[in-house]
Amino acid sequence: MRPGHPTEQAVGMEYYVSDADGVGGRLREDDADFRVRELERFDTEPVDAPTDAYPHLVFRATLQGWDTNDFASRLSDALGISRERVNWAGTKDKYAVTTQLFSVYGADPADLPEIDGVEIEVLGRAGRNLEFGDLAGNAFELVVTDPERPENAAAITDALCEFGGLDERHRSGGSADGSSEDATSIGVPNFFGQQRFGSRRPVTHKVGLAIARDDWEGAVMAYLGNPTEAEPESTQEARTFVEETRDWQEALERVPHRLRYERSMIHALAEYDGEPGPEEFREALERVPSNLQRLFVHAAQSYAFNLMLSERLERGLPFDRPVEGDVVCFSDTDAPDGLALPDTDRLQRVDERRVDSVTRHCERGRAFVTAPLVGTETELADGEQGEIERAVLDDLGLEPADFDLPGEFDSTGTRRAVLLRTDLRLETEPLTLEFALPKGSYATVVSREYLKVNSVDLG
């Protein structure tokens, strides 16, 4: 174990599991060097099924140079329909080659347009639209550009294999995307990656923490202020001006139009005649889309979760098996072959008499130790893990009841596996990492162990 990169420590990822120096280099030199394919879990009927019962056309799209939202907008414009009639199961990045499912209400295959950078494969029809979560996970193929120490990849793999903790019978085999049997089972802490908090300007958790503390002014200012060197100079100057003056009218002249969410908040504050109070700051924060409002709170929960995992590492507690007081979840029995998919609706508290039996389930990949994404319904663990959870919340000045919040900010919480396991294939020419992850997990928490570079270079 060694200290993490400072940019990652700032969002709670305080350690690397592997001690070896990273291979160095960078990801996403070219879109084709970062490939993502959804592991699908959505049934369809034949394309000639009756449209009254199955009105949603389902297709698989491979996108290059498109993020999911922009493609959905381009598609709906070409079809002459509302953007709300286009749905998908998971959002993907623009700077990659991505393959994912879409559904379109009321469309026929002949209606689908040809779009540059897009390949479409019609799959059939469905009685409902795709929703977030209608996938088991994602398969990744990542090419490392200009690695400085590619020979270190083997030592890193050995360390991650040991950390994953599967018994010998379950350490090798084919991966969920059908790769060959030269894959090695590895494990890493199931951190929330840098993208959760903002890759170049990690502030969403700061906003969420202020919301949970009922500090609406602090939440707004955390989003409007906090300039970083990764931003253009004009943006840094505008954020500094807002922090120093609170002159909302003048801020509208200075804040670039591309910062549309910041400008929405500033417009709300500029409309108020007088000095804004907590209610006005809350209303300003509610000007941003509802999914971003939820993201703020989720980022605060994710930050606390990362800190809990880092403290578990610091204390030397295992990730691959429980200790007394842990809360475990069991595997999803409907997951694709070779993909370990935790089901956090099936929880069990581990007391002294259950430690050995639950350990055997964990060794076989059938159960997973968890930590909380804290919300109003969270029940903290017992034992040493419970001490960790309570200490982190105390340090942050939070408790589960603080997430009883208005509107989109409210969160009941859940639990999440602390260990992320995957079958990894390693190619050397060029250095390439191939693996599959369950939905909600981040490829960067695997790649960070190998490269050990600034998170900006992880894409």
Side-chain angles (χ1 to χ4, degrees):
M1 191 171 75
R2 59 190 284 175
H5 192 280
T7 58
E8 296 178 332
Q9 291 182 344
V11 293
M13 294 185 285
E14 297 181 359
Y15 300 102
Y16 297 112
V17 170
S18 53
D19 286 324
D21 289 341
V23 301
R26 59 192 180 278
L27 301 180
R28 299 191 198 243
E29 178 73 7
D30 184 83
D31 290 351
D33 291 340
F34 200 107
R35 295 180 179 269
V36 187
R37 179 171 60 82
E38 287 183 349
L39 302 176
E40 300 162 0
R41 189 164 64 170
F42 188 78
D43 295 329
T44 60
E45 300 295 325
V47 72
D48 59 357
T51 57
D52 55 345
Y54 306 100
H56 300 272
L57 182 69
V58 181
F59 63 89
R60 183 183 295 127
T62 297
L63 313 178
Q64 182 165 1
W66 290 92
D67 75 15
T68 305
N69 284 282
D70 288 345
F71 169 69
S73 296
R74 173 69 178 84
L75 178 65
S76 61
D77 288 346
L79 293 173
I81 62 174
S82 166
R83 159 67 184 70
E84 299 301 317
R85 288 166 61 177
V86 182
N87 292 276
W88 56 91
T91 301
K92 302 294 186 291
D93 196 284
K94 176 179 181 178
Y95 302 105
V97 176
T98 65
T99 301
Q100 63 181 118
L101 293 184
F102 289 87
S103 66
V104 183
Y105 179 81
D108 290 318
D111 299 333
L112 297 176
E114 291 188 5
I115 300 174
D116 288 344
V118 178
E119 296 179 7
I120 291 177
E121 177 188 358
V122 175
L123 300 180
R125 293 193 170 276
R128 68 171 179 86
N129 60 274
L130 281 161
E131 298 176 349
F132 282 110
D134 275 334
L135 73 163
N138 295 283
F140 297 89
E141 182 179 332
L142 313 181
V143 177
V144 182
T145 299
D146 294 336
E148 300 158 17
R149 296 169 294 274
E151 67 279 2
N152 286 10
I156 295 169
T157 300
D158 289 344
L160 300 184
C161 182
E162 181 178 357
F163 185 78
L166 286 172
D167 64 28
E168 291 297 333
R169 293 169 297 170
H170 296 83
R171 281 195 174 179
S172 297
S175 62
D177 64 346
S179 299
S180 65
E181 294 189 356
D182 58 353
T184 300
S185 291
I186 64 169
V188 297
N190 195 19
F191 287 126
F192 284 91
Q194 194 82 20
Q195 310 97 296
R196 183 71 158 188
F197 311 97
S199 295
R200 296 182 179 274
R201 182 172 169 264
V203 300
T204 54
H205 62 299
K206 297 179 181 180
V207 179
L209 290 170
I211 291 170
R213 295 165 181 153
D214 200 31
D215 179 10
W216 298 100
E217 179 178 356
V220 169
M221 295 310 299
Y223 196 71
L224 296 181
N226 281 308
T228 68
E229 294 181 357
E231 297 180 295
E233 186 174 348
S234 61
T235 299
Q236 296 180 51
E237 292 173 352
R239 293 193 190 281
T240 300
F241 176 83
V242 171
E243 284 184 329
E244 293 177 349
T245 70
R246 311 288 181 99
D247 185 338
W248 312 118
Q249 293 291 350
E250 180 62 23
L252 288 173
E253 301 296 323
R254 298 189 181 218
V255 173
H257 284 270
R258 66 178 177 277
L259 303 181
R260 60 187 186 278
Y261 298 146
E262 286 89 340
R263 290 182 62 83
S264 293
M265 292 183 192
I266 294 169
H267 267 293
L269 296 168
E271 291 168 2
Y272 182 68
D273 185 17
E275 191 70 23
E279 189 65 26
E280 288 72 37
F281 279 106
R282 174 186 148 191
E283 290 174 359
L285 202 61
E286 291 175 334
R287 290 287 184 95
V288 304
S290 58
N291 64 326
L292 184 54
Q293 295 176 41
R294 292 190 294 271
L295 176 62
F296 291 145
V297 175
H298 293 169
Q301 295 167 319
S302 303
Y303 177 59
F305 179 88
N306 281 0
L307 291 173
M308 292 172 188
L309 266 58
S310 290
E311 180 62 21
R312 190 173 176 108
L313 283 170
E314 173 73 19
R315 296 191 184 201
L317 294 180
F319 277 54
D320 61 304
R321 61 191 184 279
V323 296
E324 184 180 350
D326 274 329
V327 177
V328 301
C329 70
F330 294 93
S331 60
D332 186 335
T333 56
D334 293 328
D337 290 341
L339 183 70
L341 186 60
D343 180 358
T344 53
D345 289 330
R346 301 169 59 212
L347 298 174
Q348 183 176 96
R349 196 172 293 268
V350 182
D351 57 23
E352 183 180 9
R353 63 188 176 85
R354 288 176 172 157
V355 169
D356 290 342
S357 63
V358 175
T359 295
R360 288 192 292 273
H361 283 299
C362 290
E363 288 173 345
R364 292 163 172 77
R366 298 173 184 168
F368 309 86
V369 179
T370 68
L373 294 170
V374 180
T376 55
E377 297 182 5
T378 295
E379 294 183 8
L380 300 178
D382 299 319
E384 192 165 2
Q385 176 61 28
E387 293 175 9
I388 291 172
E389 294 171 9
R390 290 170 177 82
V392 168
L393 293 179
D394 286 346
D395 287 346
L396 295 175
L398 296 176
E399 58 185 41
D402 292 334
F403 291 87
D404 183 8
L405 295 162
E408 299 293 340
F409 302 112
D410 184 73
S411 179
T412 57
T414 186
R415 294 190 77 89
R416 173 181 170 95
V418 302
L419 178 67
L420 178 60
R421 283 187 176 127
T422 185
D423 292 336
L424 178 124
R425 293 184 67 237
L426 190 67
E427 303 289 344
T428 56
E429 292 294 338
L431 184 59
T432 304
L433 310 175
E434 297 181 33
F435 53 91
L437 300 180
K439 61 184 179 181
S441 292
Y442 291 76
T444 51
V445 304
V446 176
S447 61
R448 69 184 286 270
E449 290 280 352
Y450 282 89
L451 275 70
K452 294 187 175 74
V453 295
N454 191 320
S455 59
V456 172
D457 292 317
L458 295 176

